[in-house]
Amino acid sequence: MDNSAQQRPSLIATTVADRLALSMRENLSPLMRQYWDIKNEHQDKILFFRMGDFYELFFSDAERVAPLVGLTLTKRNKKSADETPMCGLPHFAVAAPINKLLALGFKVALCDQVEDPRKAKGLVKRAVTRILTPGMVLDIDQVAATKSIFLAAFDHQGVVFFESTTGETFCYRIASDKEVPEILALHEVAELVVAEPVSEDFKLQSGCGLVTVYSPPGQSLA
């Protein structure tokens, strides 16, 4: 598996444009304040921000994504205090670019308009309606028929695999935790979900490039 995504920069306000925008929040337009309110809740994700018929990306998200998926990087409110790096694409054309970002190891948040703009009083309400991680897929029609995308998890009882493009789920029962890396290595796992951090040796043995720590209380994974 390509582990290049592990070396990518943090998505948390890493560019000059990001830091400047946050420091001048009160001088930003209502739309950009709304954007940052939502972005700050999803700092580790690429935020696709719905504006009419388009999804727009701003600041460092735009600067990272544009060259990766072939979008034109431009600026909003040029030569003003609210100058904003941005890129965008029609809402019906996001599947392939998002699937590419997921394959590169990025997490994605889709932020949609959650009220009818014609009935909105002032700024249209927006909220994140979907979160996608590398073990998931937005549109299976945009994924090669021969490619499997596995999301995996394990506990002391077994290892569970979920294939995102088909919905197939299967499980390996284990007698010892020592079996887990070998079982994971049987499949090309796009994302491993764990309750606690794992060692670098474990990652190398299992071939899992992306590990997400998440612990649902009181639930067994197998």
Side-chain angles (χ1 to χ4, degrees):
M1 175 179 289
D2 181 3
N3 292 331
S4 60
Q6 287 186 293
Q7 283 77 48
R8 67 180 185 275
S10 167
L11 295 179
I12 303 176
T14 54
T15 70
V16 173
D18 284 358
R19 292 193 293 269
L20 181 61
L22 288 171
S23 67
M24 300 176 61
R25 185 183 184 282
E26 296 308 315
N27 295 324
L28 297 176
S29 67
L31 180 68
M32 284 295 96
R33 288 200 296 271
Q34 183 189 56
Y35 168 83
W36 278 114
D37 287 343
I38 296 170
K39 176 63 178 176
N40 283 335
E41 295 296 321
H42 300 277
Q43 296 182 17
D44 62 335
K45 305 172 188 73
I46 299 292
L47 182 65
F48 280 70
F49 191 78
R50 185 70 177 264
M51 294 177 63
D53 291 333
F54 285 76
Y55 279 106
E56 305 289 354
L57 294 90
F58 299 109
F59 298 100
S60 60
D61 282 357
E63 293 170 337
R64 287 188 178 90
V65 169
L68 293 175
V69 301
L71 297 177
T72 299
L73 184 65
T74 183
K75 291 184 178 180
R76 182 176 184 271
N77 298 333
K78 294 181 180 180
K79 299 181 180 179
S80 73
D82 199 13
E83 184 172 285
T84 306
M86 65 177 293
C87 62
L89 67 169
H91 70 93
F92 55 79
V94 298
I98 287 178
N99 285 345
K100 185 172 184 179
L101 291 172
L102 296 176
L104 290 171
F106 288 96
K107 300 174 183 178
V108 172
L110 290 178
C111 177
D112 286 301
Q113 297 172 171
V114 293
E115 67 174 336
D116 188 337
R118 295 169 297 182
K119 299 179 180 179
K121 296 181 179 179
L123 192 63
V124 177
K125 293 180 181 177
R126 292 177 173 86
V128 169
T129 58
R130 192 167 184 183
I131 292 174
L132 297 155
T133 63
M136 305 168 71
V137 60
L138 179 60
D139 184 351
I140 61 174
D141 292 335
Q142 299 290 336
V143 179
T146 57
K147 181 176 177 60
S148 295
I149 300 177
F150 286 106
L151 180 68
F154 70 91
D155 66 6
H156 64 280
Q157 298 180 48
V159 184
V160 176
F161 292 87
F162 172 74
E163 209 291 297
S164 296
T165 65
T166 63
E168 178 185 10
T169 304
F170 53 93
C171 173
Y172 291 81
R173 293 291 177 179
I174 59 174
S176 167
D177 289 348
K178 295 180 180 180
E179 300 175 54
V180 173
E182 182 178 350
I183 292 174
L184 289 169
L186 295 173
H187 305 280
E188 188 176 348
V189 177
E191 181 180 8
L192 175 66
V193 180
V194 296
E196 298 177 353
V198 297
S199 68
E200 291 301 319
D201 284 344
F202 182 98
K203 293 179 184 179
L204 289 173
Q205 293 173 28
S206 64
C208 296
L210 178 68
V211 178
T212 300
V213 179
Y214 175 71
S215 182
Q219 294 185 20
S220 174
L221 298 175

